[in-house]
Amino acid sequence: MQTHKAKRVEIIIEAPMERRLTQALMGAEVTGFTVLPVLGGSGRSGQWSREGQVGRSGMVSVVCLIRPERLDSLLDAAFEVVDRHIGVVSVTDCEVLRAERF
Amino acid sequence: MQTHKAKRVEIIIEAPMERRLTQALMGAEVTGFTVLPVLGGSGRSGQWSREGQVGRSGMVSVVCLIRPERLDSLLDAAFEVVDRHIGVVSVTDCEVLRAERF
Amino acid sequence: MQTHKAKRVEIIIEAPMERRLTQALMGAEVTGFTVLPVLGGSGRSGQWSREGQVGRSGMVSVVCLIRPERLDSLLDAAFEVVDRHIGVVSVTDCEVLRAERF
Amino acid sequence: MEGILALAADNLISPIILSFALGLFAALARSDLSVPEAAAKALSIYLLFAIGFKGGVSVARHGVDGTLLLSLLAGVALSFILPFVAFAMLRVLTRLSVTDAAAVAGHYGSISIVTFVAATSVLTSQGIASEGYMVAVAAAMEAPAILSALWLVARSGGSRDMDSDLWREILLNGSIVLLIGAFAIGLITGEEGFARIASFIDAPFQGVLCIFLLDMGLVAGRGLRKVRGVLSVGAFAFGVLMPLAGSLLGLGAGLLLGLSPGGVMLMMTLSASASYIAVPAAMRVALPEANPSIYLTLSLGVTFPFNLTLGIPIYLALAQAATGG
Amino acid sequence: MEGILALAADNLISPIILSFALGLFAALARSDLSVPEAAAKALSIYLLFAIGFKGGVSVARHGVDGTLLLSLLAGVALSFILPFVAFAMLRVLTRLSVTDAAAVAGHYGSISIVTFVAATSVLTSQGIASEGYMVAVAAAMEAPAILSALWLVARSGGSRDMDSDLWREILLNGSIVLLIGAFAIGLITGEEGFARIASFIDAPFQGVLCIFLLDMGLVAGRGLRKVRGVLSVGAFAFGVLMPLAGSLLGLGAGLLLGLSPGGVMLMMTLSASASYIAVPAAMRVALPEANPSIYLTLSLGVTFPFNLTLGIPIYLALAQAATGG
Amino acid sequence: MEGILALAADNLISPIILSFALGLFAALARSDLSVPEAAAKALSIYLLFAIGFKGGVSVARHGVDGTLLLSLLAGVALSFILPFVAFAMLRVLTRLSVTDAAAVAGHYGSISIVTFVAATSVLTSQGIASEGYMVAVAAAMEAPAILSALWLVARSGGSRDMDSDLWREILLNGSIVLLIGAFAIGLITGEEGFARIASFIDAPFQGVLCIFLLDMGLVAGRGLRKVRGVLSVGAFAFGVLMPLAGSLLGLGAGLLLGLSPGGVMLMMTLSASASYIAVPAAMRVALPEANPSIYLTLSLGVTFPFNLTLGIPIYLALAQAATGG
Ligand SMILES: Nc1ncnc2c1ncn2[C@@H]1O[C@H](COP(=O)(O)O)[C@@H](O)[C@H]1O
Ligand SMILES: Nc1ncnc2c1ncn2[C@@H]1O[C@H](COP(=O)(O)O)[C@@H](O)[C@H]1O
Ligand SMILES: Nc1ncnc2c1ncn2[C@@H]1O[C@H](COP(=O)(O)O)[C@@H](O)[C@H]1O
Ligand code: NA
Ligand code: NA
Ligand code: NA
C-alpha cells in the first residue's frame, strides 16, 4: 500500500491550555489533530493523577500528523503556547496513508 | 536489552466503526492491538469534541505493534474499513521487547 | 526550532501493575512519564474491553520520553515488572523540544 | 389558540424547559459548563429504565388494550412513511444532496425518547391519562426509518452498505433493548414491583430530567455554534415544518386507532420528533458520505427545542380538540 | 421443598433479578447496551456506603451483640478454610493446573458484596431481621482467602509473589475501607444520622440495585460469550456445587454462633458467594500466570447468577428450617 | 465558648464530616478507594443545581430583600479586598515568592461552594433561616479575587497574562453559570417548580453531600500525602488564621448590611473559604510559574477541613453573638 512520509507530533499539555493550543495550531493552519485523555504522569513538577484533582485540571495529549515541510511552523505555534507552561513535545518520523488528507 | 524491529500502526477512526475495524484486523490475523479513547480532534470535516456528542459517536485510536513483514496485510485490511470513512492511519518504525509475542 | 534526539517508550500494562511500574521507573531515575487510559485490546490472552470488566482491571499505556543513553536502564526496570505479566513494550526514535527537561 | 399559548407559556416556565434553556445559553456563551459523558449516559439509562418500567406497570394495571398490537403496527408504518414525507420536503426547501437529504429524512422517521418523556411529563402534570404501551410504540418506531433512508439513497443509484451486522446493531441498539426490557420488567412485576422501586424511578424523575435537559441544551448549543452557515433558511424551515407535518400524520393514526387524548398526543409527539442517538450512529456506518453536522444540527438544534417548547403544547391542544377530550 | 420453590419463584420475578436477566440477555444478544464504567463504580460506592451505614445504624440501635467478635472470627476462619474445600473439589471435578485451581479457590473463600446485598433485600422484603454487624463480617471475609490461595500455590512449589505493598493493597482495598468506614459512621451517628440521610440511602436503594444488577448482567453475559469452550462441564458443576458446600459450612458456623435466622442465612450467603473485584485484582499481581477468564467466568458467570436466583431462597429455607425460625 | 464547643462536637459527628474524615483517612493510608472523576463532577453539578435552585425559590418565596443588591456589591468588594489581606499575611508568615503568594492570595478572595453548602446544612439542621440570595453572593465572589492576584504580581514587575479569552473563561466558568442559572430557574418557577422537583433536589441532598465530601477527603488526603515538606509551619498557620481573619471581614460586612444571623454566618463562611476549582484553573493559565501544590494544598488540605470542622461552628457562634440572634 502506498504511504507518504510525514511527522507525528505529540504535545502533552495542561488541560486549561488545550483550547489555546488548538487555536494556535489552527492559526498556523494545522487543521488536523487528535486530543487524547491523560490519566496521570510525572515530571519536574512532581507526580500527579487525575484522581487527585478537582475541576478542569489534569493534562491532555494532542497528536498531529503533518507533512514534513510544515513541521517548523507547527512547532513554532506550539512552542508559543507551551513555553511558560509545563508539558512536553516530541516529534517522530512516520508514514501516512491517504496523503491528500494532510 | 534485546529488542526487535517492528512497526507501530496508529488508526484513528469513528467509534461506530471500531468493531468492524478490529474484526477486519482479526480477519487479517492481526490479533494484537490496543484501543485508546479520544477526547476530540479536528480534520477536514471540522472540529469536534466528545462533549458535543450524544450517543455512541466520537472516535477511538487503535494501536497495533506488528512484525514489519506483516505490515502490508494489516494496511490492506485497515484500508478496506477506513476507506469511505473519516479517520487517519500512520505507521512508525519501532523496536519491541519480547518479539515472540508479535 | 532546535530539537534533540530522544527515545519514546510505550508500555501497555495491566492497571493493577501500574503503580509498581511507575515506582520501578522512579527507582531507575526515570522521573518523566505520562499515563494514558486504554479502552480495550487484544493479544495472546484474547480480546477484552473495559466494559466487560468489574473493578480495577483493564490496562493503561505508559509513555516515557527519555535521553537515548538512559534507555537501557529504563528497559531493565520496566522488564523487571512486565516480565511475568501480560503487556507490550515498544521503543521509537523521536526528537524533543526543550531537552533540558529530560 | 389562546389555550395553546397559555399552555405553552406554562410549559415554557417549567424547570425542565428552563434547564434546557440554561444549557443552550451556557454553550452559546462558550461557558465551560459540561456534563461528563459518563454521567449523561447514566442519566439516559435512568430515564429509559424508568419510562419503560412505568409503561409496563401501567399496562399491568389497566390490562392489555385491544389496540396494543395495532398501535405497534401503526408506529412501524409511520416510521417507514415519514422519511418519504421528509425527503420530499427537503428536496423542495433545500439544496441538500440526495445522500444528505436521505440521511436527514431517516432521522425524522425515527423518534426522540427525551421528547417523548417531556410529553409524558406534561400529561402527568395536567393529570391526563395515556396508554402505557406507548412506550413500546416508541421503541418500535426507532429503527424502520433507517431502512427507508437507505432505500431512498439506493433508488437514486447511490451506494448503500447494509450488512447483517448493522441490522443487529440497529435492532439491538442499547436504548431499544433497555426500553423494551424495562417495559417487560414493569409488566411482569406490576404493582408490587412498582411499590418496591417507586422511590427510585418515580420521585426523582422530574429532577433527573432537568439535569438531562441541561446537558441536551449544552450539546445542542455547541452544535448550533459550530454550524453558522451550514444550515440554509430552507433547512431551518424544514426543522420546524416537518415536525408539524409529522404530528398531523400521528394525529390521523391516533384517531384511527381510537387512542385516548393523551395517547393521541404521544403518537403525535413520536411522529414529530427526530432521532439524535440511534439513527446518527447507524448513518455513520451505512452512509458515511452524509454530513453529520447537517442531520445532527437539524434534529438536535432545531427540531428538538421546537418540540420541547412549542410543539408539545400544540400537539396536546390539537389532540384534545380532535378527540373532544 | 415447596416453600423453597415458591420463594424462588417469588424471588425470580423481582425487579432486581429481572434487571440482571435483562443485562445477561442484552450481552448474549450482543446489544451495545452498556453502563459507563464510571457510573458502575459510582453505583457500587453508593451500595457499599448505604449497606455499611445501615449496618452500623442497626448495631447502634440494638446495641452490640455479644457474638459480634465471635462472628468476625468465624468469618475470618471461613475465609481461610473455604479455599481448601474449593481446591479439593476443583482437583476432583476439573483438570485445572495447580495455579489456576488455587486462584479460583481464592475467589470462593472471599465474598461478593452484591450477593450479600441481594440477600439482605430478600430478608427485608420478607420482614426477617438480621444482625447489623453481618456487614462487618462481610468485610472481614474479603481478604484472608487470598493468603490461602497463595499458600496452596507455594506448597506445590509454584512461585508466589507477596510483597508488603500487596498486603496494604488487599487490606486497604477500596471496598473494605468504604464498607467498614460507612459502618463506623452509621454506628457513631446512629438514629440521628440515619434520619438525616435516610431519603438518600434507604428510599432509592432497591432501584439503584436494579441498575447495578443490569450492569452485572451485562458484564457476566459478555464474559460468558467469550468463554465458550474455556470452561469444562466439571468447572460448571463446581460453580454450582461449591456455593452449596460453602453455604453448609456457613450454616454450621451460624448455628454455632447462635445467630438469628436472618443472620444464619447471611452467613451462608457470604460463604457461598465468590469474589469478582478484590480477589481478581490481587491475583493479577500475585499469580499473573493464572488465567483470569477461568476465575472471572466461574465467579461472575456461574456462581453469581446461581446464588442470586436459586441460592438465596435455598439458603433462607435451610436457615429457617435449621433455626426453627 | 462552651456553646461553640458543643456545636463543634455536634457538627463533628455528623455523617457529612465523618464522610470527609473517612476519605482523608483512606487517602492517607494509601487505600485505592476513589470516586471516578465523572461521578465527582456529576455530584458537584447536582449540588450546584440544588443549592442555586433552592436559593432562587427562597427569594421567590420571601420576596426580594432590599439588601440583595448591596449584598452582591459587598461580596464583590470582599473578593477584591481579601487577597490583599492574604498577601500581607503570607509575606509575614512565609517565604513564598511574590508570584506564589499572589496566587495563594487569589484563592482566599474567592470562595468554596462546598464549604458554603456545608454551612447551609448546619443552618438547616439548627432551624436557622438565612437570605436565599446568599447563593448569588457566592457566585459574585468567585471571580474578582483573580484580578487582585494578577494586580499583585504586575505591581511587583512580574509578568501577567490576561487576555480577553481568560476573562470569558473566568466569568462564564461552569460553576458560576450553573449556580446563577439554577438560582434564576428557582426564582422564576418558585414554589410550583420546587414542588415538582423537591424529591430530587431536597430529599437526597444531605446524602449526596456525604459522598461528595468522601471524595473531597480523598482528594485532600492525596494532596497532603504528596506535600510533606512543601508547606512550612508558617504556611500552615496561614491556612488557619486567614479564614478567621476573612470571617471577621465578612462579619463586619454582614452586620453593616443588616443580614439575618444566618445570612451573617454565610457571609463569614464565604469570606473565610478558599477556592479550589475556578481559581486554580485560572492561575494555571495566567500565572503558570506559580506552584500549584502550594495553593491547592493550602486551600484544599488545610483551610477546607478547618472550615468544615471548626470554622463553621465558630462563625455561627460569632454571628449569633454579634447579631444577638
Ligand atoms: N519525559 C517525559 N516523558 C513523558 N511524559 C512526560 C515527561 N516529562 C513530563 N511529562 C509529562 O508532562 C507533565 C508535566 O511535566 P513537567 O513539566 O516536567 O512537570 C508530566 O506530569 C507528564 O505527564
Ligand atoms: N493530521 C491529523 N493529525 C491527527 N489527527 C487527525 C489528523 N487529521 C484528522 N485527524 C483525526 O481524524 C478525525 C477525522 O478527520 P477528517 O476525516 O479529516 O475529518 C479528526 O477529528 C481527528 O481526530
Ligand atoms: N501487537 C500488539 N499491539 C498492540 N497492543 C498489543 C499487542 N499485543 C498485545 N497488546 C496489548 O496488550 C494486551 C495484553 O496482551 P497479551 O499479553 O498478548 O494478551 C492486549 O490486550 C493489548 O491491549
Ligand atoms: Na419522528
Ligand atoms: Na465465599
Ligand atoms: Na474567601
Side-chain angles (χ1 to χ4, degrees), chain A residues 12 38 40-46 48 59 85-88, chain C residues 31-35 63-66 101-102:
Chain A
I12 295 173
V38 169
S42 168
R44 295 181 316 158
S45 30
W48 67 276
M59 307 194 83
H85 291 269
I86 64 177
V88 291
Chain C
T31 52
F33 54 81
T34 298
V35 185
V63 173
C64 300
L65 301 170
I66 196 169
R101 305 214 152 197
F102 296 89

Side-chain angles (χ1 to χ4, degrees), chain A residues 14 16-17 19-20 23 38-39 45-58 84-86, chain F residues 34 37 159 161 163 165-166 168-169 216 219 222 226 276-277 281 284-289 293 296 300:
Chain A
E14 295 173 277
M17 299 301 296
R19 210 174 41 71
R20 283 176 177 74
Q23 269 173 358
V38 169
L39 288 181
S45 30
Q47 204 168 350
W48 67 276
S49 88
R50 200 166 274 280
E51 284 176 4
Q53 308 288 314
V54 188
R56 193 174 39 123
S57 36
R84 284 163 55 216
H85 291 269
I86 64 177
Chain F
S34 74
E37 201 200 353
S159 65
D161 185 1
D163 47 23
D165 255 18
L166 182 55
R168 217 211 36 257
E169 276 174 28
M216 296 287 295
V219 175
R222 286 189 209 110
K226 261 176 232 152
Y276 41 79
I277 301 185
R284 289 316 300 146
V285 175
L287 289 182
E289 299 84 1
S293 316
L296 280 177
L300 195 59

Side-chain angles (χ1 to χ4, degrees), chain B residues 14-20 23 38-39 45-58 83-86, chain D residues 33-34 37 159 161 163 165-166 168-169 215-216 219 222 226 276-277 281-282 284-289 293 296 300:
Chain B
E14 295 174 278
M17 298 302 295
E18 175 192 334
R19 211 174 41 71
R20 284 176 177 75
Q23 268 174 358
V38 169
L39 288 181
S45 30
Q47 204 168 349
W48 67 276
S49 89
R50 199 167 273 281
E51 285 175 4
Q53 308 288 315
V54 187
R56 194 175 38 126
S57 38
D83 184 15
R84 282 164 56 215
H85 291 269
I86 65 176
Chain D
L33 179 60
S34 73
E37 202 200 351
S159 66
D161 184 2
D163 47 23
D165 255 17
L166 182 55
R168 217 213 33 258
E169 276 173 28
D215 184 49
M216 297 287 295
V219 175
R222 284 189 210 110
K226 261 176 231 152
Y276 42 79
I277 300 186
R284 289 316 301 146
V285 174
L287 288 182
E289 300 84 1
S293 315
L296 280 177
L300 196 59

